[in-house]
Amino acid sequence: GAGVSQTPSNKVTEKGKYVELRCDPISGHTALYWYRQSLGQGPEFLIYFQGTGAADDSGLPNDRFFAVRPEGSVSTLKIQRTERGDSAVYLCASSRQAGDSETQYFGPGTRLLVL
Amino acid sequence: AQTVTQSQPEMSVQEAETVTLSCTYDTSENNYYLFWYKQPPSRQMILVIRQEAYKQQNATENRFSVNFQKAAKSFSLKISDSQLGDTAMYFCAFKRTGANSKLTFGKGITLSVRP
């Protein structure tokens, strides 16, 4: 079946602009995660959803970052007033549920470049 | 808070040889999960192997095996019969049990397999 997909694959924007990054999880997966991967680093957790609600948003760096998952499937990560430091690869992952033994399956990421 | 340390930034191995990638972690938890993920240039994170902390037996998946030393908080990955397709970044990751399902990653190691 189809894996996790993310669009766009690359996004270039100017400082101060607003961007939206989209994640389509594997069909039937109720848990969805966003991570941010800076150059030369491992992914860092941002937020995760169980169904429609954000179960843990402790990784969001500040209030310019926001994510939604209104119907419990597709999720959108929104970044307002982008800064050059926001440049990174944004990874999305999903799992059947947010249980102990569940494997997270990752998408290919969106590479965001803020000029 | 949990931390994951991968102190080797790069390694190189000859095709068909064996290589071991190191990982240490710090946690006060008794039960948890450990993972090795592979990230090729395509950026898609692929699960290589997982280990449940309560299991004493080391996990094995074909050419991949781990050496899990719980007391030492060490979790190394051994790749046998290295193949050119194993060239990638490898990340060690930690996950607590319970409601919080986020993964905590190390910085990663770049593995190059030489023909």
Side-chain angles (χ1 to χ4, degrees):
Chain A
V4 178
S5 62
Q6 293 186 245
T7 54
S9 55
N10 294 282
K11 175 72 177 177
V12 181
T13 191
E14 294 179 344
K15 180 175 178 292
K17 298 289 188 183
Y18 168 83
V19 297
E20 290 189 350
L21 312 179
R22 176 187 168 106
C23 172
D24 279 271
I26 293 171
S27 178
H29 280 197
T30 62
L32 185 146
Y33 310 80
W34 284 99
Y35 294 85
R36 179 168 71 174
Q37 186 175 18
S38 300
L39 192 63
Q41 303 293 319
E44 293 180 314
F45 169 78
L46 295 175
I47 185 171
Y48 102 86
F49 291 87
Q50 179 59 48
T52 60
D56 181 358
D57 65 358
S58 62
L60 295 177
N62 52 59
D63 62 5
R64 294 187 298 105
F65 288 75
F66 188 71
V68 296
R69 195 184 185 201
E71 297 179 357
S73 178
V74 170
S75 176
T76 304
L77 179 66
K78 308 180 180 192
I79 311 174
Q80 299 177 322
R81 305 183 304 280
T82 51
E83 300 177 356
R84 293 193 179 90
D86 299 335
S87 296
V89 175
Y90 289 81
L91 296 169
C92 176
S94 71
S95 63
R96 286 185 301 174
Q97 54 191 358
D100 286 352
S101 62
E102 296 297 329
T103 295
Q104 294 182 25
Y105 297 90
F106 283 80
T110 294
R111 184 181 299 279
L112 175 66
L113 178 61
V114 182
L115 300 177
Chain B
Q2 289 75 35
T3 58
V4 177
T5 302
Q6 294 179 255
S7 56
Q8 308 155 304
E10 296 181 11
M11 287 196 75
S12 178
V13 65
Q14 192 74 33
E15 194 176 7
E17 297 292 306
T18 295
V19 64
T20 298
L21 311 182
S22 301
C23 173
T24 58
Y25 59 94
D26 188 26
T27 184
S28 58
E29 305 285 330
N30 188 46
N31 291 322
Y32 46 86
Y33 295 82
L34 295 164
F35 306 83
W36 279 98
Y37 277 88
K38 169 185 178 181
Q39 188 178 42
S42 66
R43 295 200 307 244
Q44 188 131 18
M45 299 279 274
I46 302 164
L47 179 66
V48 174
I49 199 165
R50 58 181 280 158
Q51 174 81 40
E52 291 88 346
Y54 60 86
K55 289 187 178 178
Q56 294 188 346
Q57 185 171 8
N58 288 323
T60 300
E61 288 286 344
N62 301 313
R63 297 184 294 108
F64 300 89
S65 61
V66 299
N67 183 3
F68 174 48
Q69 302 288 330
K70 191 174 183 181
K73 296 180 181 173
S74 169
F75 183 61
S76 61
L77 175 68
K78 184 170 83 170
I79 306 174
S80 304
D81 185 26
S82 297
Q83 300 176 0
L84 297 178
D86 294 334
T87 293
M89 281 205 74
Y90 287 80
F91 292 93
C92 179
F94 172 100
K95 185 164 84 79
R96 293 171 57 191
T97 59
N100 191 331
S101 293
K102 69 181 181 184
L103 292 168
T104 300
F105 287 87
K107 285 189 173 183
I109 176 171
T110 301
L111 176 66
S112 300
V113 180
R114 305 186 305 273

